Amino acid sequence: MELVNVLHMNAGDRECSYANTSALQKYVILKSAKVLEDTIEDYGTNGFSECFKLADLGCSSGPNTFLFVAKTLANVHKACAKKNLKAPDEFQVFLNDLPNNDFNTVFKMTPSFYSKLENDKALGRTLKCFVCGVPGSFYTRLFPRKSLNLVHSSYGLHWLSQVPENLLDNNKGNIYITKASPPGVYEAYFNQYKQDLTTFLRMRSEEIIPDGRVVLTILGRRASDPASKDCCYLYELLAMSLHDLVAEGSLHEEDISSFNLPIYTPSPDELKTIVESESSFCVDILETFEVKWDMRDEDEIIKSGDSSGKFMAKTARAVMEPLLASHFGNSFMDQIFERFDKHVNEHLSRGEKGSYFNILVSLRRK
């Protein structure tokens, strides 16, 4: 399975498209906003260049795509006003994702984004902003040397460049790290993550100017145990949903045993150790925060009418469907996520809590 061809969010504007079911991701971006603001203010201590160049890696599509961009432009102007600095005359924005990302939706949104900038009185002047799409894996070089001021990625770096090797015989019946997985499974996942994150940092170190910044929000885990519930249980519920179809005769056990998620959720210590080992960046800020699986407030729940299970099934489907469909086939998607909805509701009805553990880090290029 070539991940570069199948790893993308659901395109378009149907009910389970990423554009319509990315409220969680928006919530996380907003929770990370203060660190982004502090990073830009610190970066601007000695002033900004005439053209400020920023890249969002793993931009996906839909309403969240330009949220980081808008906040960055506002933060730069806020920092300049606070320190009586000259603001950049121009901004160059690079929106990156894998080639099968729904860039058509992204490009259709640019006129609306430009219009909002023109009408934003808070910026105080006419602002020139140039947006372009950059297809490709962020585990490769994407930009010329020393060309970027700021790099951002939210919920992108838990995705691996490939499924770790040698898992098929060791992780039977599972789709990720579980308590039942032998130690070799964790080692394979961690080694792949270490290799990928080191590559990511090395690529960015060539593309970012000295003292340039990187702000990352990563799905991680609180515990040192790689099979802890705070990072793995949702994937176990997904595996249960697949096993339901085996019990019903729709799938075969070997279908599951031959599938492993290309995901790794690091601990803060693992992340920091890899950054320090690669040595191109300093860790300026490292924070963690948790977000409930169902982060909607009461009004949002009433308005949508969706249970927590259904809400999470839609969210997971928007992200996971292309990957699952490439292995199990399109015809099983409704069945898989109907059962996932049921398992989530059963889990929460027992009084179990569910949350995403997030690592938020701001790095400075040495």
Side-chain angles (χ1 to χ4, degrees):
M1 176 172 59
E2 286 290 333
L3 284 182
V4 71
N5 296 322
V6 299
L7 190 55
H8 58 86
M9 309 298 101
N10 269 344
D13 59 0
R14 59 196 175 111
E15 185 182 26
C16 59
S17 68
Y18 184 81
N20 285 327
T21 55
S22 52
L24 166 68
Q25 290 83 353
K26 177 181 179 180
Y27 187 88
V28 168
I29 292 172
L30 295 175
K31 287 278 287 185
S32 308
K34 185 61 169 62
V35 166
L36 178 63
E37 180 181 347
D38 291 345
T39 297
I40 290 172
E41 182 174 335
D42 182 70
Y43 173 80
T45 299
N46 298 315
F48 293 89
S49 57
E50 290 184 0
C51 181
F52 190 82
K53 298 180 180 180
L54 57 145
D56 190 24
L57 307 185
C59 67
S60 194
S61 61
N64 295 339
T65 302
F66 287 98
L67 184 57
F68 152 73
V69 180
K71 286 197 167 294
T72 299
L73 270 57
N75 286 334
V76 169
H77 281 268
K78 182 178 179 180
C80 290
K82 182 177 181 179
K83 299 182 179 183
N84 197 28
L85 298 170
K86 185 181 183 300
D89 295 317
E90 299 177 335
F91 289 84
Q92 175 72 72
V93 177
F94 300 100
L95 300 176
N96 155 261
D97 215 309
L98 293 173
N100 283 327
N101 180 56
D102 186 8
F103 281 106
N104 283 338
T105 294
V106 174
F107 297 148
K108 288 176 183 177
M109 294 172 63
T110 53
S112 174
F113 174 68
Y114 288 143
S115 178
K116 288 179 181 178
L117 287 183
E118 291 173 2
N119 295 315
D120 190 343
K121 296 180 180 178
L123 296 178
R125 65 188 180 97
T126 302
L127 179 67
K128 293 181 180 179
C129 181
F130 305 93
V131 175
C132 64
V134 181
S137 169
F138 51 51
Y139 293 121
T140 64
R141 276 285 303 279
L142 296 167
F143 308 100
R145 284 185 172 83
K146 297 182 180 179
S147 62
L148 299 176
N149 302 97
L150 173 69
V151 167
H152 172 265
S153 183
S154 182
Y155 272 23
L157 275 170
H158 60 280
W159 292 105
L160 301 173
S161 66
Q162 64 178 48
V163 175
E165 296 178 354
N166 304 319
L167 287 184
L168 296 185
D169 294 331
N170 295 328
N171 206 29
K172 289 184 177 179
N174 302 309
I175 62 173
Y176 186 54
I177 304 168
T178 71
K179 296 288 187 183
S181 299
V185 172
Y186 160 69
E187 292 170 5
Y189 267 105
F190 176 72
N191 289 337
Q192 185 64 52
Y193 179 76
K194 181 178 180 181
Q195 176 184 317
D196 283 344
L197 182 57
T198 299
T199 298
F200 175 89
L201 295 170
R202 188 173 298 130
M203 299 300 99
R204 305 296 81 77
S205 72
E206 295 187 43
E207 297 164 349
I208 296 173
I209 65 171
D211 199 47
R213 306 304 165 96
V214 177
V215 177
L216 307 172
T217 307
I218 303 170
L219 268 175
R221 68 178 193 274
R222 180 193 314 102
S224 59
D225 179 5
S228 62
K229 276 192 172 183
D230 67 339
C231 64
C232 295
Y233 201 66
L234 267 183
Y235 307 130
E236 291 188 37
L237 295 180
L238 181 58
M240 290 179 195
S241 305
L242 294 169
H243 282 288
D244 286 345
L245 297 191
V246 172
E248 296 163 14
S250 298
L251 294 178
H252 299 289
E253 187 69 34
E254 52 266 31
D255 294 331
I256 299 175
S257 294
S258 59
F259 178 80
N260 287 281
L261 288 170
I263 285 172
Y264 184 77
T265 49
S267 69
D269 285 343
E270 286 177 339
L271 176 64
K272 188 175 181 181
T273 297
I274 295 170
V275 172
E276 291 174 346
S277 176
E278 195 280 328
S279 78
S280 297
F281 295 88
C282 297
V283 178
D284 281 347
I285 302 170
L286 195 155
E287 298 180 357
T288 63
F289 64 93
E290 293 184 49
V291 175
K292 291 191 297 184
W293 284 353
D294 187 349
M295 24 55 63
R296 299 172 298 168
D297 60 33
E298 191 172 335
D299 289 341
E300 290 173 314
I301 293 172
I302 293 172
K303 183 179 179 181
S304 72
D306 288 343
S307 67
S308 291
K310 189 169 184 179
F311 169 76
M312 293 178 63
K314 287 180 179 179
T315 300
R317 185 168 185 170
V319 174
M320 294 285 190
E321 181 169 11
L323 185 63
L324 292 168
S326 71
H327 184 83
F328 297 102
N330 286 304
S331 60
F332 296 109
M333 293 303 104
D334 287 344
Q335 295 167 269
I336 290 171
F337 288 102
E338 284 168 5
R339 285 150 185 78
F340 183 74
D341 172 350
K342 177 177 71 75
H343 285 302
V344 170
N345 280 328
E346 288 176 352
H347 174 78
L348 296 176
S349 70
R350 294 193 295 267
E352 299 277 1
K353 294 181 179 179
S355 62
Y356 303 99
F357 183 80
N358 301 276
I359 305 172
L360 178 55
V361 62
S362 176
L363 308 176
R364 174 169 46 88
R365 178 69 171 94
K366 293 180 180 178

